[in-house]
Amino acid sequence: DGQVRGIGKESIGDMAANIEVFTDQNWAKDVLGADKPVLVDFWAEWCAPCKAMVPDLEAVAAQYAGRVRVGKLNVEENDQVPFQYGITAMPTLLVFKGGKVVEQRVGKMSRDQLAKLLDAHL
């Protein structure tokens, strides 16, 4: 339909199955304990660039399925993790490998930019 959907907590399940939902509660297990690189998008409901980036994140999550975990963390619903990593601007993207941040980008990224970012860590 070409319209940008809101991606609140209740509708985040409508996203591509390849995009995971990270929280303060599942962070240690799902991100820090992951056996493959993890791309985390720190976002907020009011952030237009965050919403605009969803189709590109979905495409990259599908393209790298099985090789990279791709997920989003809502900074308004989770305060511990964003604070721990000093997240102040949205969207902020962090790439984790072996439980450590190996790359950080701030601002909307295109599908190609996301792919290049991930390729560097595979």
PDB file of all heavy atoms in Angstrom, residues 28-67:
ATOM      1  N   ALA A  28      20.876  -9.537  27.159  1.00  0.00           N
ATOM      2  CA  ALA A  28      22.077 -10.344  27.447  1.00  0.00           C
ATOM      3  C   ALA A  28      22.061 -11.653  26.658  1.00  0.00           C
ATOM      4  O   ALA A  28      23.069 -12.041  26.068  1.00  0.00           O
ATOM      5  CB  ALA A  28      22.174 -10.613  28.948  1.00  0.00           C
ATOM      6  N   LYS A  29      20.909 -12.298  26.606  1.00  0.00           N
ATOM      7  CA  LYS A  29      20.819 -13.592  25.920  1.00  0.00           C
ATOM      8  C   LYS A  29      20.808 -13.419  24.401  1.00  0.00           C
ATOM      9  O   LYS A  29      21.568 -14.064  23.694  1.00  0.00           O
ATOM     10  CB  LYS A  29      19.549 -14.317  26.372  1.00  0.00           C
ATOM     11  CG  LYS A  29      19.327 -15.668  25.690  1.00  0.00           C
ATOM     12  CD  LYS A  29      18.154 -16.426  26.288  1.00  0.00           C
ATOM     13  CE  LYS A  29      16.801 -15.917  25.860  1.00  0.00           C
ATOM     14  NZ  LYS A  29      16.436 -16.126  24.462  1.00  0.00           N
ATOM     15  N   ASP A  30      19.947 -12.527  23.891  1.00  0.00           N
ATOM     16  CA  ASP A  30      19.710 -12.448  22.452  1.00  0.00           C
ATOM     17  C   ASP A  30      20.738 -11.629  21.681  1.00  0.00           C
ATOM     18  O   ASP A  30      20.941 -11.854  20.492  1.00  0.00           O
ATOM     19  CB  ASP A  30      18.312 -11.878  22.174  1.00  0.00           C
ATOM     20  CG  ASP A  30      17.208 -12.854  22.568  1.00  0.00           C
ATOM     21  OD1 ASP A  30      17.524 -14.006  22.908  1.00  0.00           O
ATOM     22  OD2 ASP A  30      16.035 -12.456  22.530  1.00  0.00           O
ATOM     23  N   VAL A  31      21.374 -10.657  22.333  1.00  0.00           N
ATOM     24  CA  VAL A  31      22.361  -9.827  21.635  1.00  0.00           C
ATOM     25  C   VAL A  31      23.782 -10.180  22.083  1.00  0.00           C
ATOM     26  O   VAL A  31      24.606 -10.594  21.277  1.00  0.00           O
ATOM     27  CB  VAL A  31      22.083  -8.318  21.847  1.00  0.00           C
ATOM     28  CG1 VAL A  31      23.152  -7.465  21.169  1.00  0.00           C
ATOM     29  CG2 VAL A  31      20.698  -7.960  21.313  1.00  0.00           C
ATOM     30  N   LEU A  32      24.047 -10.048  23.375  1.00  0.00           N
ATOM     31  CA  LEU A  32      25.407 -10.290  23.870  1.00  0.00           C
ATOM     32  C   LEU A  32      25.793 -11.761  23.756  1.00  0.00           C
ATOM     33  O   LEU A  32      26.956 -12.088  23.538  1.00  0.00           O
ATOM     34  CB  LEU A  32      25.541  -9.812  25.321  1.00  0.00           C
ATOM     35  CG  LEU A  32      25.205  -8.333  25.554  1.00  0.00           C
ATOM     36  CD1 LEU A  32      25.434  -7.965  27.011  1.00  0.00           C
ATOM     37  CD2 LEU A  32      26.002  -7.424  24.629  1.00  0.00           C
ATOM     38  N   GLY A  33      24.809 -12.661  23.859  1.00  0.00           N
ATOM     39  CA  GLY A  33      25.095 -14.087  23.802  1.00  0.00           C
ATOM     40  C   GLY A  33      24.915 -14.702  22.423  1.00  0.00           C
ATOM     41  O   GLY A  33      25.003 -15.914  22.269  1.00  0.00           O
ATOM     42  N   ALA A  34      24.666 -13.874  21.409  1.00  0.00           N
ATOM     43  CA  ALA A  34      24.406 -14.391  20.060  1.00  0.00           C
ATOM     44  C   ALA A  34      25.652 -15.044  19.469  1.00  0.00           C
ATOM     45  O   ALA A  34      26.773 -14.597  19.706  1.00  0.00           O
ATOM     46  CB  ALA A  34      23.935 -13.260  19.144  1.00  0.00           C
ATOM     47  N   ASP A  35      25.414 -16.089  18.679  1.00  0.00           N
ATOM     48  CA  ASP A  35      26.526 -16.813  18.058  1.00  0.00           C
ATOM     49  C   ASP A  35      26.861 -16.276  16.670  1.00  0.00           C
ATOM     50  O   ASP A  35      27.681 -16.843  15.966  1.00  0.00           O
ATOM     51  CB  ASP A  35      26.200 -18.309  17.979  1.00  0.00           C
ATOM     52  CG  ASP A  35      24.925 -18.581  17.176  1.00  0.00           C
ATOM     53  OD1 ASP A  35      24.226 -17.614  16.800  1.00  0.00           O
ATOM     54  OD2 ASP A  35      24.629 -19.762  16.932  1.00  0.00           O
ATOM     55  N   LYS A  36      26.221 -15.191  16.270  1.00  0.00           N
ATOM     56  CA  LYS A  36      26.519 -14.546  14.986  1.00  0.00           C
ATOM     57  C   LYS A  36      26.415 -13.036  15.176  1.00  0.00           C
ATOM     58  O   LYS A  36      25.921 -12.580  16.202  1.00  0.00           O
ATOM     59  CB  LYS A  36      25.564 -15.048  13.893  1.00  0.00           C
ATOM     60  CG  LYS A  36      24.101 -14.943  14.247  1.00  0.00           C
ATOM     61  CD  LYS A  36      23.173 -15.582  13.214  1.00  0.00           C
ATOM     62  CE  LYS A  36      23.393 -17.047  13.052  1.00  0.00           C
ATOM     63  NZ  LYS A  36      22.297 -17.927  13.428  1.00  0.00           N
ATOM     64  N   PRO A  37      26.888 -12.242  14.221  1.00  0.00           N
ATOM     65  CA  PRO A  37      26.773 -10.782  14.366  1.00  0.00           C
ATOM     66  C   PRO A  37      25.315 -10.361  14.542  1.00  0.00           C
ATOM     67  O   PRO A  37      24.409 -11.004  14.011  1.00  0.00           O
ATOM     68  CB  PRO A  37      27.337 -10.239  13.049  1.00  0.00           C
ATOM     69  CG  PRO A  37      28.215 -11.341  12.527  1.00  0.00           C
ATOM     70  CD  PRO A  37      27.570 -12.621  12.980  1.00  0.00           C
ATOM     71  N   VAL A  38      25.105  -9.274  15.299  1.00  0.00           N
ATOM     72  CA  VAL A  38      23.766  -8.751  15.551  1.00  0.00           C
ATOM     73  C   VAL A  38      23.742  -7.270  15.196  1.00  0.00           C
ATOM     74  O   VAL A  38      24.579  -6.496  15.663  1.00  0.00           O
ATOM     75  CB  VAL A  38      23.362  -8.917  17.042  1.00  0.00           C
ATOM     76  CG1 VAL A  38      21.918  -8.467  17.255  1.00  0.00           C
ATOM     77  CG2 VAL A  38      23.554 -10.346  17.511  1.00  0.00           C
ATOM     78  N   LEU A  39      22.779  -6.886  14.344  1.00  0.00           N
ATOM     79  CA  LEU A  39      22.554  -5.480  14.015  1.00  0.00           C
ATOM     80  C   LEU A  39      21.372  -5.015  14.840  1.00  0.00           C
ATOM     81  O   LEU A  39      20.282  -5.592  14.747  1.00  0.00           O
ATOM     82  CB  LEU A  39      22.244  -5.315  12.522  1.00  0.00           C
ATOM     83  CG  LEU A  39      21.831  -3.910  12.069  1.00  0.00           C
ATOM     84  CD1 LEU A  39      22.959  -2.908  12.267  1.00  0.00           C
ATOM     85  CD2 LEU A  39      21.385  -3.926  10.618  1.00  0.00           C
ATOM     86  N   VAL A  40      21.591  -3.988  15.672  1.00  0.00           N
ATOM     87  CA  VAL A  40      20.524  -3.461  16.522  1.00  0.00           C
ATOM     88  C   VAL A  40      20.203  -2.038  16.101  1.00  0.00           C
ATOM     89  O   VAL A  40      21.084  -1.185  16.030  1.00  0.00           O
ATOM     90  CB  VAL A  40      20.936  -3.469  18.014  1.00  0.00           C
ATOM     91  CG1 VAL A  40      19.782  -2.970  18.888  1.00  0.00           C
ATOM     92  CG2 VAL A  40      21.381  -4.859  18.449  1.00  0.00           C
ATOM     93  N   ASP A  41      18.917  -1.810  15.840  1.00  0.00           N
ATOM     94  CA  ASP A  41      18.409  -0.483  15.503  1.00  0.00           C
ATOM     95  C   ASP A  41      17.723   0.078  16.740  1.00  0.00           C
ATOM     96  O   ASP A  41      16.713  -0.446  17.183  1.00  0.00           O
ATOM     97  CB  ASP A  41      17.422  -0.606  14.332  1.00  0.00           C
ATOM     98  CG  ASP A  41      16.704   0.706  14.025  1.00  0.00           C
ATOM     99  OD1 ASP A  41      17.268   1.778  14.336  1.00  0.00           O
ATOM    100  OD2 ASP A  41      15.595   0.662  13.479  1.00  0.00           O
ATOM    101  N   PHE A  42      18.314   1.127  17.328  1.00  0.00           N
ATOM    102  CA  PHE A  42      17.688   1.823  18.451  1.00  0.00           C
ATOM    103  C   PHE A  42      16.743   2.859  17.863  1.00  0.00           C
ATOM    104  O   PHE A  42      17.170   3.736  17.113  1.00  0.00           O
ATOM    105  CB  PHE A  42      18.754   2.510  19.317  1.00  0.00           C
ATOM    106  CG  PHE A  42      19.612   1.533  20.080  1.00  0.00           C
ATOM    107  CD1 PHE A  42      20.716   0.948  19.486  1.00  0.00           C
ATOM    108  CD2 PHE A  42      19.303   1.208  21.390  1.00  0.00           C
ATOM    109  CE1 PHE A  42      21.508   0.056  20.186  1.00  0.00           C
ATOM    110  CE2 PHE A  42      20.097   0.304  22.102  1.00  0.00           C
ATOM    111  CZ  PHE A  42      21.200  -0.273  21.497  1.00  0.00           C
ATOM    112  N   TRP A  43      15.449   2.752  18.197  1.00  0.00           N
ATOM    113  CA  TRP A  43      14.438   3.592  17.556  1.00  0.00           C
ATOM    114  C   TRP A  43      13.424   4.088  18.580  1.00  0.00           C
ATOM    115  O   TRP A  43      13.399   3.636  19.719  1.00  0.00           O
ATOM    116  CB  TRP A  43      13.733   2.803  16.452  1.00  0.00           C
ATOM    117  CG  TRP A  43      12.797   1.752  16.990  1.00  0.00           C
ATOM    118  CD1 TRP A  43      13.150   0.551  17.547  1.00  0.00           C
ATOM    119  CD2 TRP A  43      11.382   1.817  17.046  1.00  0.00           C
ATOM    120  NE1 TRP A  43      12.035  -0.137  17.934  1.00  0.00           N
ATOM    121  CE2 TRP A  43      10.935   0.614  17.642  1.00  0.00           C
ATOM    122  CE3 TRP A  43      10.442   2.760  16.649  1.00  0.00           C
ATOM    123  CZ2 TRP A  43       9.580   0.346  17.859  1.00  0.00           C
ATOM    124  CZ3 TRP A  43       9.106   2.487  16.855  1.00  0.00           C
ATOM    125  CH2 TRP A  43       8.683   1.302  17.452  1.00  0.00           C
ATOM    126  N   ALA A  44      12.585   5.032  18.115  1.00  0.00           N
ATOM    127  CA  ALA A  44      11.484   5.542  18.933  1.00  0.00           C
ATOM    128  C   ALA A  44      10.276   5.770  18.021  1.00  0.00           C
ATOM    129  O   ALA A  44      10.430   6.014  16.821  1.00  0.00           O
ATOM    130  CB  ALA A  44      11.884   6.848  19.610  1.00  0.00           C
ATOM    131  N   GLU A  45       9.107   5.682  18.600  1.00  0.00           N
ATOM    132  CA  GLU A  45       7.850   5.832  17.869  1.00  0.00           C
ATOM    133  C   GLU A  45       7.776   7.181  17.127  1.00  0.00           C
ATOM    134  O   GLU A  45       7.259   7.258  16.029  1.00  0.00           O
ATOM    135  CB  GLU A  45       6.683   5.701  18.861  1.00  0.00           C
ATOM    136  CG  GLU A  45       5.320   5.674  18.230  1.00  0.00           C
ATOM    137  CD  GLU A  45       5.091   4.469  17.328  1.00  0.00           C
ATOM    138  OE1 GLU A  45       5.358   3.341  17.747  1.00  0.00           O
ATOM    139  OE2 GLU A  45       4.646   4.684  16.180  1.00  0.00           O
ATOM    140  N   TRP A  46       8.316   8.240  17.729  1.00  0.00           N
ATOM    141  CA  TRP A  46       8.217   9.592  17.159  1.00  0.00           C
ATOM    142  C   TRP A  46       9.279   9.867  16.092  1.00  0.00           C
ATOM    143  O   TRP A  46       9.310  10.929  15.493  1.00  0.00           O
ATOM    144  CB  TRP A  46       8.332  10.634  18.268  1.00  0.00           C
ATOM    145  CG  TRP A  46       9.458  10.356  19.228  1.00  0.00           C
ATOM    146  CD1 TRP A  46       9.357   9.748  20.447  1.00  0.00           C
ATOM    147  CD2 TRP A  46      10.854  10.634  19.049  1.00  0.00           C
ATOM    148  NE1 TRP A  46      10.605   9.620  21.018  1.00  0.00           N
ATOM    149  CE2 TRP A  46      11.537  10.159  20.192  1.00  0.00           C
ATOM    150  CE3 TRP A  46      11.592  11.227  18.030  1.00  0.00           C
ATOM    151  CZ2 TRP A  46      12.907  10.270  20.350  1.00  0.00           C
ATOM    152  CZ3 TRP A  46      12.967  11.334  18.179  1.00  0.00           C
ATOM    153  CH2 TRP A  46      13.612  10.863  19.335  1.00  0.00           C
ATOM    154  N   CYS A  47      10.172   8.913  15.855  1.00  0.00           N
ATOM    155  CA  CYS A  47      11.316   9.129  14.963  1.00  0.00           C
ATOM    156  C   CYS A  47      10.960   8.772  13.515  1.00  0.00           C
ATOM    157  O   CYS A  47      10.893   7.595  13.162  1.00  0.00           O
ATOM    158  CB  CYS A  47      12.486   8.288  15.471  1.00  0.00           C
ATOM    159  SG  CYS A  47      13.870   8.171  14.335  1.00  0.00           S
ATOM    160  N   ALA A  48      10.738   9.785  12.683  1.00  0.00           N
ATOM    161  CA  ALA A  48      10.370   9.554  11.279  1.00  0.00           C
ATOM    162  C   ALA A  48      11.450   8.799  10.498  1.00  0.00           C
ATOM    163  O   ALA A  48      11.125   7.869   9.766  1.00  0.00           O
ATOM    164  CB  ALA A  48      10.030  10.884  10.600  1.00  0.00           C
ATOM    165  N   PRO A  49      12.748   9.158  10.628  1.00  0.00           N
ATOM    166  CA  PRO A  49      13.775   8.397   9.907  1.00  0.00           C
ATOM    167  C   PRO A  49      13.809   6.924  10.326  1.00  0.00           C
ATOM    168  O   PRO A  49      14.087   6.047   9.518  1.00  0.00           O
ATOM    169  CB  PRO A  49      15.089   9.096  10.276  1.00  0.00           C
ATOM    170  CG  PRO A  49      14.694  10.465  10.709  1.00  0.00           C
ATOM    171  CD  PRO A  49      13.316  10.332  11.303  1.00  0.00           C
ATOM    172  N   CYS A  50      13.498   6.649  11.610  1.00  0.00           N
ATOM    173  CA  CYS A  50      13.461   5.258  12.092  1.00  0.00           C
ATOM    174  C   CYS A  50      12.391   4.474  11.333  1.00  0.00           C
ATOM    175  O   CYS A  50      12.627   3.357  10.877  1.00  0.00           O
ATOM    176  CB  CYS A  50      13.139   5.210  13.584  1.00  0.00           C
ATOM    177  SG  CYS A  50      14.341   6.035  14.651  1.00  0.00           S
ATOM    178  N   LYS A  51      11.221   5.071  11.207  1.00  0.00           N
ATOM    179  CA  LYS A  51      10.112   4.404  10.520  1.00  0.00           C
ATOM    180  C   LYS A  51      10.415   4.253   9.031  1.00  0.00           C
ATOM    181  O   LYS A  51      10.105   3.225   8.427  1.00  0.00           O
ATOM    182  CB  LYS A  51       8.817   5.185  10.720  1.00  0.00           C
ATOM    183  CG  LYS A  51       8.312   5.118  12.147  1.00  0.00           C
ATOM    184  CD  LYS A  51       7.025   5.893  12.288  1.00  0.00           C
ATOM    185  CE  LYS A  51       6.499   5.807  13.702  1.00  0.00           C
ATOM    186  NZ  LYS A  51       5.218   6.473  13.850  1.00  0.00           N
ATOM    187  N   ALA A  52      11.045   5.266   8.462  1.00  0.00           N
ATOM    188  CA  ALA A  52      11.368   5.238   7.028  1.00  0.00           C
ATOM    189  C   ALA A  52      12.378   4.133   6.714  1.00  0.00           C
ATOM    190  O   ALA A  52      12.425   3.634   5.595  1.00  0.00           O
ATOM    191  CB  ALA A  52      11.907   6.599   6.586  1.00  0.00           C
ATOM    192  N   MET A  53      13.174   3.756   7.695  1.00  0.00           N
ATOM    193  CA  MET A  53      14.231   2.765   7.477  1.00  0.00           C
ATOM    194  C   MET A  53      13.718   1.321   7.590  1.00  0.00           C
ATOM    195  O   MET A  53      14.415   0.384   7.200  1.00  0.00           O
ATOM    196  CB  MET A  53      15.363   3.008   8.485  1.00  0.00           C
ATOM    197  CG  MET A  53      16.662   2.377   8.081  1.00  0.00           C
ATOM    198  SD  MET A  53      18.066   2.997   9.042  1.00  0.00           S
ATOM    199  CE  MET A  53      17.610   2.535  10.682  1.00  0.00           C
ATOM    200  N   VAL A  54      12.503   1.122   8.094  1.00  0.00           N
ATOM    201  CA  VAL A  54      11.977  -0.232   8.322  1.00  0.00           C
ATOM    202  C   VAL A  54      12.020  -1.118   7.072  1.00  0.00           C
ATOM    203  O   VAL A  54      12.494  -2.253   7.149  1.00  0.00           O
ATOM    204  CB  VAL A  54      10.564  -0.185   8.947  1.00  0.00           C
ATOM    205  CG1 VAL A  54       9.895  -1.559   8.916  1.00  0.00           C
ATOM    206  CG2 VAL A  54      10.641   0.328  10.371  1.00  0.00           C
ATOM    207  N   PRO A  55      11.559  -0.651   5.897  1.00  0.00           N
ATOM    208  CA  PRO A  55      11.620  -1.540   4.722  1.00  0.00           C
ATOM    209  C   PRO A  55      13.042  -1.987   4.378  1.00  0.00           C
ATOM    210  O   PRO A  55      13.252  -3.141   3.970  1.00  0.00           O
ATOM    211  CB  PRO A  55      11.032  -0.685   3.596  1.00  0.00           C
ATOM    212  CG  PRO A  55      10.207   0.349   4.290  1.00  0.00           C
ATOM    213  CD  PRO A  55      10.895   0.608   5.599  1.00  0.00           C
ATOM    214  N   ASP A  56      14.013  -1.105   4.544  1.00  0.00           N
ATOM    215  CA  ASP A  56      15.410  -1.457   4.270  1.00  0.00           C
ATOM    216  C   ASP A  56      15.925  -2.456   5.300  1.00  0.00           C
ATOM    217  O   ASP A  56      16.653  -3.395   4.959  1.00  0.00           O
ATOM    218  CB  ASP A  56      16.291  -0.207   4.235  1.00  0.00           C
ATOM    219  CG  ASP A  56      15.970   0.681   3.032  1.00  0.00           C
ATOM    220  OD1 ASP A  56      15.650   0.121   1.963  1.00  0.00           O
ATOM    221  OD2 ASP A  56      16.031   1.902   3.162  1.00  0.00           O
ATOM    222  N   LEU A  57      15.549  -2.269   6.563  1.00  0.00           N
ATOM    223  CA  LEU A  57      15.944  -3.230   7.596  1.00  0.00           C
ATOM    224  C   LEU A  57      15.328  -4.597   7.322  1.00  0.00           C
ATOM    225  O   LEU A  57      15.997  -5.619   7.470  1.00  0.00           O
ATOM    226  CB  LEU A  57      15.493  -2.742   8.978  1.00  0.00           C
ATOM    227  CG  LEU A  57      16.423  -1.795   9.720  1.00  0.00           C
ATOM    228  CD1 LEU A  57      15.753  -1.317  11.001  1.00  0.00           C
ATOM    229  CD2 LEU A  57      17.754  -2.441  10.032  1.00  0.00           C
ATOM    230  N   GLU A  58      14.058  -4.604   6.913  1.00  0.00           N
ATOM    231  CA  GLU A  58      13.383  -5.862   6.600  1.00  0.00           C
ATOM    232  C   GLU A  58      14.097  -6.583   5.459  1.00  0.00           C
ATOM    233  O   GLU A  58      14.323  -7.794   5.515  1.00  0.00           O
ATOM    234  CB  GLU A  58      11.919  -5.606   6.210  1.00  0.00           C
ATOM    235  CG  GLU A  58      11.051  -5.215   7.377  1.00  0.00           C
ATOM    236  CD  GLU A  58       9.625  -4.887   6.950  1.00  0.00           C
ATOM    237  OE1 GLU A  58       9.382  -4.627   5.745  1.00  0.00           O
ATOM    238  OE2 GLU A  58       8.747  -4.885   7.816  1.00  0.00           O
ATOM    239  N   ALA A  59      14.465  -5.821   4.426  1.00  0.00           N
ATOM    240  CA  ALA A  59      15.138  -6.413   3.265  1.00  0.00           C
ATOM    241  C   ALA A  59      16.490  -7.006   3.656  1.00  0.00           C
ATOM    242  O   ALA A  59      16.841  -8.111   3.256  1.00  0.00           O
ATOM    243  CB  ALA A  59      15.319  -5.363   2.167  1.00  0.00           C
ATOM    244  N   VAL A  60      17.245  -6.271   4.447  1.00  0.00           N
ATOM    245  CA  VAL A  60      18.568  -6.732   4.874  1.00  0.00           C
ATOM    246  C   VAL A  60      18.434  -7.932   5.819  1.00  0.00           C
ATOM    247  O   VAL A  60      19.209  -8.886   5.739  1.00  0.00           O
ATOM    248  CB  VAL A  60      19.352  -5.565   5.515  1.00  0.00           C
ATOM    249  CG1 VAL A  60      20.577  -6.048   6.258  1.00  0.00           C
ATOM    250  CG2 VAL A  60      19.758  -4.565   4.440  1.00  0.00           C
ATOM    251  N   ALA A  61      17.430  -7.896   6.693  1.00  0.00           N
ATOM    252  CA  ALA A  61      17.206  -9.022   7.613  1.00  0.00           C
ATOM    253  C   ALA A  61      16.910 -10.290   6.817  1.00  0.00           C
ATOM    254  O   ALA A  61      17.408 -11.372   7.144  1.00  0.00           O
ATOM    255  CB  ALA A  61      16.066  -8.706   8.569  1.00  0.00           C
ATOM    256  N   ALA A  62      16.114 -10.165   5.748  1.00  0.00           N
ATOM    257  CA  ALA A  62      15.800 -11.325   4.909  1.00  0.00           C
ATOM    258  C   ALA A  62      17.034 -11.781   4.135  1.00  0.00           C
ATOM    259  O   ALA A  62      17.333 -12.973   4.054  1.00  0.00           O
ATOM    260  CB  ALA A  62      14.662 -10.977   3.947  1.00  0.00           C
ATOM    261  N   GLN A  63      17.778 -10.806   3.591  1.00  0.00           N
ATOM    262  CA  GLN A  63      18.963 -11.115   2.790  1.00  0.00           C
ATOM    263  C   GLN A  63      20.037 -11.835   3.613  1.00  0.00           C
ATOM    264  O   GLN A  63      20.727 -12.712   3.103  1.00  0.00           O
ATOM    265  CB  GLN A  63      19.523  -9.799   2.230  1.00  0.00           C
ATOM    266  CG  GLN A  63      20.742  -9.949   1.344  1.00  0.00           C
ATOM    267  CD  GLN A  63      21.261  -8.584   0.870  1.00  0.00           C
ATOM    268  OE1 GLN A  63      20.566  -7.580   0.922  1.00  0.00           O
ATOM    269  NE2 GLN A  63      22.495  -8.559   0.422  1.00  0.00           N
ATOM    270  N   TYR A  64      20.173 -11.465   4.884  1.00  0.00           N
ATOM    271  CA  TYR A  64      21.230 -12.018   5.729  1.00  0.00           C
ATOM    272  C   TYR A  64      20.705 -13.052   6.728  1.00  0.00           C
ATOM    273  O   TYR A  64      21.414 -13.429   7.656  1.00  0.00           O
ATOM    274  CB  TYR A  64      21.949 -10.886   6.480  1.00  0.00           C
ATOM    275  CG  TYR A  64      22.814 -10.052   5.570  1.00  0.00           C
ATOM    276  CD1 TYR A  64      22.278  -8.982   4.854  1.00  0.00           C
ATOM    277  CD2 TYR A  64      24.165 -10.336   5.399  1.00  0.00           C
ATOM    278  CE1 TYR A  64      23.061  -8.229   3.994  1.00  0.00           C
ATOM    279  CE2 TYR A  64      24.963  -9.586   4.548  1.00  0.00           C
ATOM    280  CZ  TYR A  64      24.401  -8.526   3.851  1.00  0.00           C
ATOM    281  OH  TYR A  64      25.178  -7.783   3.010  1.00  0.00           O
ATOM    282  N   ALA A  65      19.469 -13.509   6.531  1.00  0.00           N
ATOM    283  CA  ALA A  65      18.867 -14.485   7.448  1.00  0.00           C
ATOM    284  C   ALA A  65      19.788 -15.694   7.594  1.00  0.00           C
ATOM    285  O   ALA A  65      20.329 -16.202   6.617  1.00  0.00           O
ATOM    286  CB  ALA A  65      17.504 -14.918   6.922  1.00  0.00           C
ATOM    287  N   GLY A  66      19.994 -16.112   8.844  1.00  0.00           N
ATOM    288  CA  GLY A  66      20.869 -17.250   9.110  1.00  0.00           C
ATOM    289  C   GLY A  66      22.321 -16.860   9.313  1.00  0.00           C
ATOM    290  O   GLY A  66      23.095 -17.625   9.875  1.00  0.00           O
ATOM    291  N   ARG A  67      22.695 -15.661   8.851  1.00  0.00           N
ATOM    292  CA  ARG A  67      24.089 -15.204   9.005  1.00  0.00           C
ATOM    293  C   ARG A  67      24.214 -14.065  10.001  1.00  0.00           C
ATOM    294  O   ARG A  67      25.254 -13.899  10.638  1.00  0.00           O
ATOM    295  CB  ARG A  67      24.653 -14.757   7.652  1.00  0.00           C
ATOM    296  CG  ARG A  67      24.733 -15.899   6.647  1.00  0.00           C
ATOM    297  CD  ARG A  67      25.402 -15.452   5.372  1.00  0.00           C
ATOM    298  NE  ARG A  67      24.545 -14.510   4.649  1.00  0.00           N
ATOM    299  CZ  ARG A  67      24.988 -13.612   3.769  1.00  0.00           C
ATOM    300  NH1 ARG A  67      26.278 -13.515   3.507  1.00  0.00           N
ATOM    301  NH2 ARG A  67      24.149 -12.820   3.146  1.00  0.00           N
TER     302      ARG A  67
END
